[in-house]
Amino acid sequence: MTEAVLKSSDLFERRKAVVANGVGVFNTATVSTANGATIIDVDGKELIDFAGGIGVVNAGHCPETVVEAIQEQAAKYIHTSFNVVTYEPYVKLCEELTEILPHADKTKVMLVSTGAEAVENAIKIARQATKRKGILCFTGAFHGRTMMSMTLTSKVDYKKNCGPFAPEVYRLPFPNYYRYGEGRSLDKFVDLELKRLREAFKNMISPSNLAAIIIELVQGEGGFTVAPQKYVEGLRSICDEYGIMLIFDEIQSGFSRTGKWAAWQNYNITPDISTYAKSMGSGMPIAAVVGKAEIMDAAAPGTIGGTYIGNPVSCAAALATIQLIKDQNLNERGAYLGRIIRQRFESIQKQCPQIGEVRGLGAMMAIEFVKNNDPRQPNPELCAHIIKQCYNRGLILLSAGTFKNVIRILSPLVISEELLEKGLTILEEEIINSCSK
Ligand SMILES: Cc1ncc(COP(=O)(O)O)c(C=O)c1O
């Protein structure tokens, strides 16, 4: 019997018939196999992947050593629940994480399965450590889709009719200098934003009721907006002054994307707690909460955890991914690729006045499209058009930003320079074509 040829469009129709509508479609691409930075779709077409499964495959699709580690672990045991039977891959992964992401003389870790779960647990730990309830977060933030993490998430479109949301969550504007700088110097802007934060302690919540401030140093879904160094320094000293936990959400920015294991290592500012997922496990569901030992230990036994926390196969994948990052020096490569992408984007910007800003940290690079050269007039239509045209030419891209007017690059960092160049050329041609219309 010959097997029917599976077409992308057929697969998509079948998806529509049985998959709930609320499961978002960012791109209509399909996959039969994937390797490195290349996806082969079900029609046999080769696609260049600049989305990396939303920042999950920094170490590439199906790296050989990770695949082998998964297979080897799966053959030994797949699940015991770490609460019930202790296994070494969990402990070893925690040991590795404390070494590459030290938060203090003594750092401790808990593992879970998804980014949102890591955020939920970071909040629970901060609350238990401080015995306070309030959490301060930012506009443009994305922290997940579970109830607390969705409450912390800013964009209204992600939250339609999902409330009531968690109580005791407060929000301030993210220090987005491009959008809100309004001609001030960066220093002046940061001073004003820190003043706004101190004012919030008078008109929003008393610092003595605030358990934590949670921030993405480079906002992922928010459009790769980078928090200014001086602002983050200000956050650190305010948190120290009032005994507030500073939480960095590194779920999208972690594991070589910004040229370091975590974005905070570019700032030389250490959080009390931080969260990781995505590229840590090369696609296997694994996430971590990392923090100063005495803070992590403040959570009472049984208050954090779950059946699947740190699944052994996922731990094996993460350990192999960390080894690969070390062996191939992907942190340095992230910084190097970031310089190539930035240079290219800045040269495109000179030819296209619709590009309001080129920004990012390391290889977490983005382009923002606006109208009339005005940071407050987003151009999502142009952005969507360019992404579609690129897809027609075999390049998978993702948008970002509250207004969907940002193109972000999350390609695997193992991408060859030749393939990166090919993808950037498609993007450049489509931007210039679309901008000149
Ligand atoms: C910064 C950040 N935090 C949290 C999350 C939620 O992670 P997950 O989708 O694994 O629950 C994401 C996902 O995009 C993210 O980018």
Side-chain angles (χ1 to χ4, degrees):
M1 198 177 78
T2 52
E3 232 176 73
V5 180
L6 187 58
K7 291 269 189 285
S8 283
S9 50
D10 295 344
L11 181 58
F12 225 79
E13 283 312 305
R14 284 170 55 202
R15 169 183 172 145
K16 272 201 260 176
V18 291
V19 178
N21 219 17
V23 181
V25 180
F26 301 153
N27 194 298
T28 54
T30 59
V31 57
S32 63
T33 60
N35 193 272
T38 305
I39 288 176
I40 308 295
D41 78 6
V42 295
D43 299 324
K45 186 177 165 188
E46 197 171 297
L47 305 168
I48 303 170
D49 186 7
F50 272 16
I54 326 184
V56 170
V57 290
N58 288 353
H61 288 285
C62 300
E64 219 175 293
T65 51
V66 177
V67 172
E68 280 167 11
I70 292 169
Q71 288 170 335
E72 226 172 81
Q73 180 55 47
K76 285 187 201 155
Y77 55 93
I78 294 174
H79 176 82
T80 63
S81 194
F82 190 69
N83 298 304
V84 183
V85 178
T86 296
Y87 42 85
E88 210 221 345
Y90 189 117
V91 178
K92 193 159 178 225
L93 180 54
C94 294
E95 286 166 353
E96 280 286 341
L97 292 172
T98 59
E99 228 166 82
I100 60 177
L101 298 161
H103 282 49
D105 290 345
K106 203 157 170 29
T107 303
K108 282 199 170 182
V109 182
M110 86 167 290
L111 301 177
V112 281
S113 304
T114 68
E117 246 188 301
V119 169
E120 294 277 338
N121 282 286
I123 299 296
K124 285 194 286 181
I125 293 167
R127 282 183 166 161
Q128 292 190 69
T130 57
K131 304 199 169 41
R132 304 174 185 173
K133 298 185 177 64
I135 309 293
L136 186 72
C137 58
F138 291 90
T139 57
F142 186 90
H143 295 293
R145 289 186 175 84
T146 53
M147 227 45 214
M148 170 50 87
S149 63
M150 181 182 267
T151 306
L152 296 169
T153 290
S154 166
K155 189 166 165 175
V156 172
D157 284 355
Y158 288 130
K159 305 162 72 160
K160 271 185 205 152
N161 294 325
C162 290
F165 297 108
E168 289 298 331
V169 171
Y170 303 84
R171 191 181 307 280
L172 281 181
F174 186 86
N176 181 338
Y177 180 57
Y178 169 64
R179 194 170 170 80
Y180 301 116
E182 288 178 347
R184 298 182 184 99
S185 69
L186 179 61
D187 268 4
K188 180 78 193 154
F189 172 74
V190 168
D191 282 350
L192 287 174
E193 290 305 309
L194 288 171
K195 242 182 218 158
R196 190 204 294 271
L197 173 53
R198 285 188 183 274
E199 274 173 22
F201 292 164
K202 296 282 177 203
N203 60 26
M204 202 181 266
I205 178 169
S206 158
S208 61
N209 291 331
L210 202 54
I213 299 179
I214 182 165
I215 189 166
E216 296 158 86
L217 295 176
V218 186
Q219 290 194 320
E221 301 308 298
F224 287 17
T225 316
V226 183
Q229 172 80 29
K230 233 183 102 192
Y231 186 82
V232 183
E233 285 168 11
L235 281 186
R236 182 66 275 177
S237 65
I238 288 170
C239 286
D240 289 342
E241 189 178 333
Y242 294 105
I244 300 163
M245 300 292 104
L246 183 56
I247 305 176
F248 293 158
D249 181 344
E250 295 272 1
I251 286 161
Q252 195 157 149
S253 53
F255 287 82
S256 308
R257 179 52 53 187
T258 70
K260 305 271 185 194
W261 293 105
W264 57 264
Q265 292 168 330
N266 290 292
Y267 286 76
N268 281 320
I269 295 169
T270 311
D272 298 300
I273 302 172
S274 57
T275 53
Y276 304 85
K278 292 196 184 265
S279 276
M280 184 172 127
S282 291
M284 293 299 285
I286 184 87
V289 185
V290 183
K292 294 176 178 161
E294 77 274 12
I295 294 168
M296 296 297 289
D297 281 341
T303 59
I304 55 174
T307 307
Y308 296 108
I309 44 163
N311 169 274
V313 182
S314 298
C315 288
L319 283 165
T321 301
I322 291 170
Q323 193 56 50
L324 184 155
I325 291 175
K326 288 180 181 171
D327 292 345
Q328 299 193 17
N329 206 348
L330 283 195
N331 287 337
E332 208 168 277
R333 188 159 174 81
Y336 173 69
L337 295 182
R339 288 193 289 276
I340 295 179
I341 299 166
R342 183 182 286 275
Q343 249 177 22
R344 192 61 173 270
F345 280 2
E346 285 174 351
S347 121
I348 303 172
Q349 187 181 26
K350 290 195 185 101
Q351 306 165 65
C352 176
Q354 290 93 329
I355 296 179
E357 190 180 46
V358 167
R359 62 168 172 263
L361 186 62
M364 202 167 176
M365 287 299 305
I367 302 177
E368 175 156 358
F369 295 95
V370 295
K371 294 172 187 160
N372 305 316
N373 209 11
D374 179 355
R376 301 224 193 177
Q377 289 187 50
N379 196 341
E381 302 82 11
L382 177 62
C383 186
H385 176 75
I386 292 166
I387 289 174
K388 187 155 180 279
Q389 294 300 109
C390 286
Y391 177 56
N392 290 340
R393 292 180 59 187
L395 175 66
I396 303 180
L397 283 167
L398 280 178
S399 67
T402 304
F403 306 98
K404 284 196 176 171
N405 63 325
V406 177
I407 288 179
R408 57 176 152 166
I409 306 296
L410 285 169
S411 65
L413 301 172
V414 294
I415 191 169
S416 68
E417 282 181 52
E418 197 188 353
L419 197 60
L420 178 68
E421 171 63 27
K422 195 172 162 191
L424 288 174
T425 301
I426 294 172
L427 178 57
E428 173 168 0
E429 286 171 2
E430 291 310 324
I431 290 176
I432 289 169
N433 269 342
S434 309
C435 286
S436 59
K437 274 187 189 143

